[in-house]
């Protein structure tokens, strides 16, 4: 291995250690299953490793990995009528109080019970700031279908979480509106999204989920070892 190759490998290892837990938490939000999320995230980082000489120069290589994760997940989950029947098996973060943990688990439970189209489109649009056009292209849906699924999912969560009285406007920002900054970035700039109670609930649940993932200090090491095994098995 040349000095340049060794440097590129070290750069990737640093990137993997920094980004893995964050991407994993985001993918769990999409599918509700830790096992499925770990497998998809591993595959996405494997692709990133193989294309590292190209994507290392991207402004947001983590966003590239997340997009690949979404595409891979959608291929395996789009035919499922509902999500997982149980919550991800994760430790409770030490810094999380009982009420915070209960609220986060309830949001995750409700997400897992949504049809895949509603769950994935809502998480991408409301939580990660993808535009409706970007989601439609990635999931091979119409823009109107994306908007309708996001609105249905948001309404389901809003009713289930007893947020019906939190509306401040008759305008539904989830059915139309300007595009956000880009994938992987929360859509806080869009009118109505930054303070929407469902969006806030999703953000809080993901923050709790990421803390839960980080509560296992050996997770990144296991993931790195699993990635190394995959690299050893494939050319």
């Amino acid at each position: 291995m040349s000095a340049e190759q060794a440097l590129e490998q070290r750069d990737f290892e640093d990137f993997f250690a920094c980004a893995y837990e964050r991407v994993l938490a985001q993918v769990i939000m999409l599918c509700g299953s830790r096992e499925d999320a770990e497998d998809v995230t591993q595959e996405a980082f494997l692709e990133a490793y193989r294309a590292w000489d190209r994507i290392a120069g991207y402004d947001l290589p983590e966003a590239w990995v997340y997009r690949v994760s979404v595409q891979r997940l959608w291929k395996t989950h789009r035919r499922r009528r509902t999500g997982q029947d149980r919550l991800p098996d994760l430790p409770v973060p030490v810094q999380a109080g009982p009420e915070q943990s209960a609220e986060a688990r309830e949001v995750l439970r409700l997400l897992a019970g949504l049809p895949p189209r509603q769950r994935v489109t809502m998480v991408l649009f409301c939580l990660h700031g993808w535009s409706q056009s970007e989601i439609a292209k990635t999931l091979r849906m119409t823009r109107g279908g994306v908007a309708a699924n996001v609105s249905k999912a948001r309404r389901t969560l809003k009713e289930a979480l007893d947020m019906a009285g939190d509306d401040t406007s008759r305008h539904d920002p989830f059915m139309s509106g300007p595009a956000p900054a880009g994938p992987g970035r929360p859509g806080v700039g869009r009118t109505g999204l930054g303070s929407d109670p469902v969006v806030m609930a999703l953000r809080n649940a993901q923050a709790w989920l990421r803390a839960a993932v980080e509560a296992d200090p050996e997770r990144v090491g296991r993931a790195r070892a699993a990635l190394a095994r995959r690299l050893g098995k494939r050319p």
Side-chain angles (χ1 to χ4, degrees):
M1 179 184 295
S2 68
E4 183 178 355
Q5 290 174 322
L7 180 60
E8 289 181 355
Q9 181 174 337
R10 171 56 56 187
D11 287 345
F12 176 80
E13 290 178 355
D14 291 342
F15 167 69
F16 182 87
C18 177
Y20 175 77
E21 293 173 330
R22 188 160 47 244
V23 174
L24 177 61
Q26 292 171 342
V27 178
I28 292 175
M29 290 288 291
L30 286 173
C31 67
S33 165
R34 187 195 68 183
E35 291 78 9
D36 289 348
E38 287 179 341
D39 187 61
V40 165
T41 303
Q42 283 281 332
E43 290 289 340
F45 274 101
L46 181 63
E47 287 196 33
Y49 178 83
R50 290 170 170 166
W52 187 242
D53 58 342
R54 173 169 55 90
I55 69 172
Y58 289 2
D59 290 337
L60 293 171
E62 184 176 326
W64 185 93
V65 173
Y66 181 64
R67 179 179 290 276
V68 171
S69 299
V70 172
Q71 293 169 338
R72 285 186 170 274
L73 182 69
W74 189 244
K75 286 180 181 179
T76 59
H77 279 61
R78 61 186 174 184
R79 294 183 177 87
R80 298 184 184 183
R81 298 182 59 186
T82 59
Q84 302 297 318
D85 295 328
R86 59 185 178 83
L87 294 175
D89 181 18
L90 292 165
V92 175
V94 175
Q95 67 272 31
E99 183 176 350
Q100 180 185 3
S101 294
E103 291 176 355
R105 286 184 175 277
E106 177 64 6
V107 171
L108 294 173
R109 184 188 69 80
L110 293 170
L111 271 178
L114 291 173
R117 286 177 181 268
Q118 292 183 26
R119 181 177 64 254
V120 173
T121 55
M122 182 176 65
V123 170
L124 292 178
F125 185 79
C126 298
L127 191 56
H128 297 303
W130 287 35
S131 70
Q132 294 172 356
S133 296
E134 288 169 327
I135 298 171
K137 181 179 179 179
T138 300
L139 305 187
R140 297 184 180 181
M141 298 171 60
T142 65
R143 186 179 179 279
V146 171
N149 276 282
V150 171
S151 187
K152 289 177 183 176
R154 174 178 170 269
R155 184 167 59 249
T156 297
L157 260 67
K158 194 168 188 178
E159 293 174 353
L161 296 172
D162 196 23
M163 296 175 175
D166 290 328
D167 275 329
T168 58
S169 170
R170 293 182 180 180
H171 174 67
D172 186 353
F174 298 86
M175 294 299 291
S176 62
R185 301 174 184 175
V188 295
R190 281 177 290 183
T191 303
L193 291 196
S195 59
D196 182 85
V198 173
V199 173
M200 294 304 298
L202 291 173
R203 289 178 186 163
N204 291 338
Q206 180 168 270
W208 182 92
L209 188 57
R210 182 182 171 189
V213 169
E214 293 174 345
D216 181 355
E218 298 180 358
R219 183 178 298 277
V220 173
R222 292 197 304 270
R224 184 185 291 110
L227 183 63
R229 288 194 296 271
R230 293 194 182 203
L231 287 169
K233 292 178 181 178
R234 302 182 183 187

